[in-house]
Amino acid sequence: MADSTAPAPPTEEVANLHLDEATGERVSKTELKKRQKQRQKEADKAAKAAAAPPKASSGKPKNAAGEEEKDLNPNQYYEIRTRHINELLKNPETNPYPHKFQVTYDDSKFFEEFSHLKSGETAEDKGIQIAGRIYNIRASGSKLIFYDIRTSADTVSIGTKLQVVCQAQLAKEGTAFEKQHEHIRRGDVIGIVGYPGRTNPKTKLAEGKEGELSVFASEIVLLSPCLHMLPSVRYPFSDGEQRARMRYLDMLWNDRSRQVLWQRSRMVRFIRDFFHERRFIEVETPMMHAIAGGATALPFTTHHNDLDVDMYMRVAPELFLKKMIVGQFGKVFELGKNFRNEGIDLTHNPEFTSCEFYWAYADVYDVMALTEELVSSLVKELTGGYTTTFTTQHGETYEVNWEAPWRRVEMIPELEKATGEKFPPDDELHTDETNQFLQKVCKKMGVECPPPLTNARMIDKLTGEFIENTCVNPTFILNHPQMMSPLAKYHRSKKGLCERFEAFVCKKEIANAYTELNNPFDQRLRFEEQARQKDQGDDEAQMVDESFLNALEYGLPPTGGWGLGIDRLTMFITNNYSIREVLAFPFLREDKTHPKEKFAAELVNVQPLPEEGIPHK
């Protein structure tokens, strides 16, 4: 049935590989010629068979598990199937796209409810109507067909695998058995009317095994035909790039892909419930901003036509959420999209999902404890324990223990250990002298920092090299220099530092939090420092947000704030090193390698409906 093996990793284009248009794969020239020769041979055979006089009927129904189509390649199958379905559309009685099919049974309960049935037993009084997609068809003679179907995913499961048994003697009166099944192929969505029962195969009984619990169908209704050939051993669907571009087929075919997105949905629901239970209010804030703020990141620019003004897609909801705390909301959180005009790699997508919360009368230490509670309980809920496995793109495997308490590391003391250098005092980390010191340390340690060489960027780069790489199990990196954190409150006992942590797992950041800066005087100075960094060429530095500064002047209570990357966390919990695997539809570069294929409507020359013209003045 559907392939449940782990998907192949994404691959870069490799020189000297050629596109196999039938499968979308890139293969060697020799392999491509071999495949083309074999397909031509098969096409000639199919053409010869089509031209031959019809043989006497064998009594098999026409589809008979698609036997007459097994020698076609995907392109040939698509053309033949498209023309066939178009013919069915011409007759209202054979329309393969009905408006409605009434599903009356919860398929997730099927095995639990009817597992008591013994081989050969049926429950004809328990009529059920279900629907699903066909993954495999088997025929035994002309009067018996088996369909292996999968129902759709919902909040309970990723779908149920069921066997459907179709026997001529069970067919609904007034509908010929052959008529019900002649147009059905692999990939089609069908409705099934029948009852539960267990098959009675002699071979299994001889081995002391029970038959397979199945649905015995009295009627099969075609609800939506699949025009394309589903993947198979002969025509696999495993290339990472192809899977990302045809995500709908990837979800349909690969159980693992559907499972990952299903787990992601459970994660989001758990996080929402966690905050609701603690009396946080879920809110929604603007996606388009006049000023890009709330995070150190390069924004996307858009344009509002009516106002004739450029705007920015939000990089973070932080400033708006803190305005809500000013507005007498004590606990708020938001789950939503952010947009950052940065690089695309295994852990970054330009559009990503985050959860941010702000908690009045709390500080970074309260937030740290809540982070441990949330994430560790989330892992326990999803996996049944606190330990998971993560495999990197290089094949390294980590055993990750999510159980609280997590490791805590102070940034500057840890850098001093790693570099063997004594750093300047905390309250001098922003100076020009420290800039020269940091440049020397980077050179000594072989760390390259792309310009501009600001103190914040160099410390961040050193941290990435020597601290983040030690964070396999969840780790808090604490007490950042103030100039690295323009929205964080200064440390209550360590001048020059701020009360901030970043949470890392598998050497990557998943969360960022701090005691919020609520002093409007200090906040203005921090924004102005960011503006100076922007003037030095740092495109990611934040702008001065006068509206936010004005809100602070009305009084922001002592507040703890936090942001968590949903995509990253999903990656590590579900064991996927590529962010593509945890997004329903990841961002992709334009595909210039595949030739444009004809759509089904073009193949059968469907004419567009007449449109109402707009008169010209």
Side-chain angles (χ1 to χ4, degrees), residues 443-499:
K443 185 175 181 180
K444 169 191 170 182
M445 303 305 295
V447 174
E448 291 186 15
C449 180
L453 297 178
T454 63
N455 296 17
R457 287 170 67 89
M458 286 188 283
I459 292 176
D460 185 60
K461 193 69 176 176
L462 289 167
T463 301
E465 290 288 333
F466 300 112
I467 303 180
E468 293 172 15
N469 281 333
T470 70
C471 303
V472 173
N473 285 329
T475 303
F476 293 120
I477 299 177
L478 310 171
N479 301 339
H480 298 56
Q482 271 186 241
M483 82 289 189
M484 294 181 71
S485 313
L487 297 168
K489 197 174 182 78
Y490 58 86
H491 200 285
R492 66 194 75 181
S493 62
K494 298 178 181 180
K495 190 176 180 181
L497 303 183
C498 60
E499 295 191 354

Side-chain angles (χ1 to χ4, degrees), residues 316-335:
E318 176 169 342
L319 302 186
F320 283 98
L321 292 173
K322 284 195 278 196
K323 287 179 181 179
M324 296 199 73
I325 299 293
V326 173
Q328 288 298 99
F329 285 85
K331 294 180 176 181
V332 296
F333 78 98
E334 181 171 11
L335 269 158

